[in-house]
Amino acid sequence: MAEVGAVIVAAGRSSRMGGPTPKQYRLLAGRPVLAHTLRVFEDAPEISFVVLVVPPGDEARVRRMIVEGYGFRKCLSVVPGGAERQESVRAGLSALPPCDVVLIHDGVRPFVPGERLAGLIEAALAAGAATLAVPPKDTVKMARMPGLSRTTLPRDRLWLVQTPQAFRLEVIINAHKEAAQKGFVGTDDTALVEMSGGEVALVPGDYTNIKLTTPEDFVFAEAMMGRMTGMRSGFGYDVHRLAEGRKLVLGGVEVPYEKGLLGHSDADVLAHAVMDALLGAAALGDIGRHFPDSDPAYQGISSLELLKRVVGLLERAGFAVVNVDATVVAQAPRLAPFIPLMRENMARVLGVDVAVVSVKATTTEGLGFTGGGEGMAAYAVAGISRQMQQHWR
């Protein structure tokens, strides 16, 4: 069986996209585009390891926030790219462990169908080089000068090239060496193989395998995610009594206060509401069903650990977290200074960007059991979606 590696190129600065955030880091359905792309290769049984190429200076942040944050174990290296794509690919190839075949893929193509990879790899082993491609749907003309056409190209012989592109390792390395010696710059890696005299097998791709290049592409991508992933939402509510001699823990943050919340676990009312919202969205019951207070295993346990287990339940059921919006109801203490850390804690456990985790705090103006300082309550709404890979398979 062939050893297959992948180089994911995400070193661009998004000049055509505009805005302060490079497109590979922009959120799509609650996660960075690059995280969606990496998930395809993480889940593909044909892929042994991945090298990720990012803009210089972004290596540590990407490794921490995306590779480790989303648990991409196949990603062995995060390396800096160059000024041009061809330089970035060379950097990725230089960091790649020995393998038989390498797939080179654009980091901003998050919709590559995982079931196409096996055929692509087989074609590369046979021909030396292969690429996913689709026939054009429109008539293609060649302009004699800007805005003036003279020739209509034969559409039955034209293909629109996509990524990933697959190569026997020695073929693409030699092609890059020859291109560097001749000063040749190609628009993709198959052009380098063609320049060196090789042929490229064309493997049927998918029209949904778009490259996110312009703002309009993101509109289409969001629509695709909503159609393909099956959005669902859930509501959660929890309440705990305040008692002396207990720590007050909210969102995994220990808040200084004279009293804490009473419960079998650490009684983190915020995390409990979020858990119930997530379980409700997936129709998986409530936290009492999964973590009963009659079980000594959960005595004093951190609710962030329970939240992590809820995420595991969702993943096994084929769901991913999209967003969370929660409100803590308490007369005292003042919670605003601690909310940023609550959001960070829960985002880390949920495996999403902190930007899609909202935590708010309010009082009841002295009314009711929360207003009288007897206890605290929390409400939460959560969005989840069917995991993209599970849908495609």
Side-chain angles (χ1 to χ4, degrees):
M1 185 175 178
E3 184 88 329
V4 182
V7 173
I8 309 298
V9 186
R13 290 296 185 184
S14 305
S15 58
R16 283 177 286 180
M17 181 65 68
T21 304
K23 57 192 175 185
Q24 62 268 39
Y25 305 142
R26 284 185 57 171
L27 296 186
L28 180 62
R31 298 189 178 201
V33 167
L34 188 53
H36 290 291
T37 302
L38 285 168
R39 176 54 60 192
V40 178
F41 292 84
E42 183 75 18
D43 291 346
E46 301 86 355
I47 305 301
S48 299
F49 41 76
V50 172
V51 170
L52 179 59
V53 187
V54 300
D58 286 2
E59 302 95 312
R61 182 169 66 98
V62 168
R63 175 163 289 284
R64 183 180 70 255
M65 301 286 289
I66 295 181
V67 175
E68 295 174 358
Y70 292 95
F72 295 124
R73 298 179 181 177
K74 289 184 181 179
C75 187
L76 303 184
S77 304
V78 181
V79 300
E84 302 294 337
R85 184 185 186 279
Q86 205 159 301
E87 297 176 50
S88 297
V89 173
R90 283 202 301 270
L93 291 172
S94 297
L96 194 71
C99 57
D100 301 301
V101 174
V102 57
L103 272 61
I104 300 174
H105 185 62
D106 298 322
V108 289
R109 286 187 189 265
F111 298 116
V112 55
E115 67 269 18
R116 305 282 189 189
L117 300 185
L120 182 66
I121 293 165
E122 184 178 344
L125 284 169
T131 183
L132 293 183
V134 293
K137 296 180 179 181
D138 301 317
T139 297
V140 181
K141 292 185 177 292
M142 181 178 290
R144 181 168 59 88
M145 61 180 62
L148 189 62
S149 168
R150 170 176 286 181
T151 306
T152 298
L153 301 179
R155 192 167 62 182
D156 59 342
R157 297 177 59 189
L158 298 177
W159 290 82
L160 305 178
V161 174
Q162 303 177 333
T163 69
Q165 299 176 345
F167 308 88
R168 289 203 303 265
L169 186 61
E170 69 276 9
V171 169
I172 191 60
I173 287 179
N174 290 336
H176 268 273
K177 286 180 179 177
E178 185 174 341
Q181 291 168 357
K182 294 181 177 179
F184 176 81
V185 177
T187 55
D188 72 347
D189 295 284
T190 59
L192 275 61
V193 172
E194 292 164 345
M195 176 273 303
S196 62
E199 292 187 333
V200 179
L202 300 174
V203 178
D206 196 302
Y207 288 104
T208 62
N209 182 20
I210 63 170
K211 183 178 181 181
L212 303 183
T213 304
T214 67
E216 292 79 10
D217 293 333
F218 267 83
V219 174
F220 181 65
E222 289 286 359
M224 281 184 60
M225 290 298 291
R227 175 175 61 83
M228 298 171 69
T229 58
M231 293 291 298
R232 299 172 69 165
S233 61
F235 173 77
Y237 170 75
D238 196 40
V239 59
H240 282 279
R241 184 184 299 275
L242 282 163
E244 294 182 355
R246 294 274 298 185
K247 294 179 179 179
L248 177 58
V249 179
L250 296 170
V253 179
E254 187 174 329
V255 179
Y257 191 51
E258 60 194 29
K259 295 180 180 179
L261 294 170
L262 192 61
H264 187 63
S265 64
D266 63 4
D268 186 335
V269 70
L270 171 58
H272 290 185
V274 170
M275 284 189 279
D276 262 348
L278 292 168
L279 290 168
L284 292 176
D286 59 19
I287 57 176
R289 168 184 163 187
H290 296 281
F291 316 113
D293 58 12
S294 57
D295 190 336
Y298 304 121
Q299 179 72 44
I301 193 171
S302 165
S303 293
L304 288 186
E305 172 59 30
L306 298 181
L307 181 60
K308 181 179 179 180
R309 299 184 190 186
V310 167
V311 173
L313 291 171
L314 292 177
E315 290 178 347
R316 286 192 289 276
F319 292 102
V321 179
V322 174
N323 75 298
V324 167
D325 181 23
T327 300
V328 180
V329 184
Q331 196 64 34
R334 184 171 178 269
L335 299 179
F338 305 98
I339 284 178
L341 186 52
M342 295 177 195
R343 295 176 62 209
E344 290 177 14
N345 285 346
M346 291 198 294
R348 183 181 66 254
V349 175
L350 295 172
V352 297
D353 194 278
V354 70
V356 299
V357 176
S358 170
V359 176
K360 308 181 295 295
T362 189
T363 71
T364 57
E365 302 294 336
L367 300 175
F369 72 93
T370 56
E374 298 176 60
M376 293 184 179
Y379 301 84
V381 177
I384 63 173
S385 64
R386 282 284 180 191
Q387 292 192 51
M388 184 168 56
Q389 283 301 305
Q390 192 150 25
H391 177 91
W392 279 338
R393 289 178 184 171

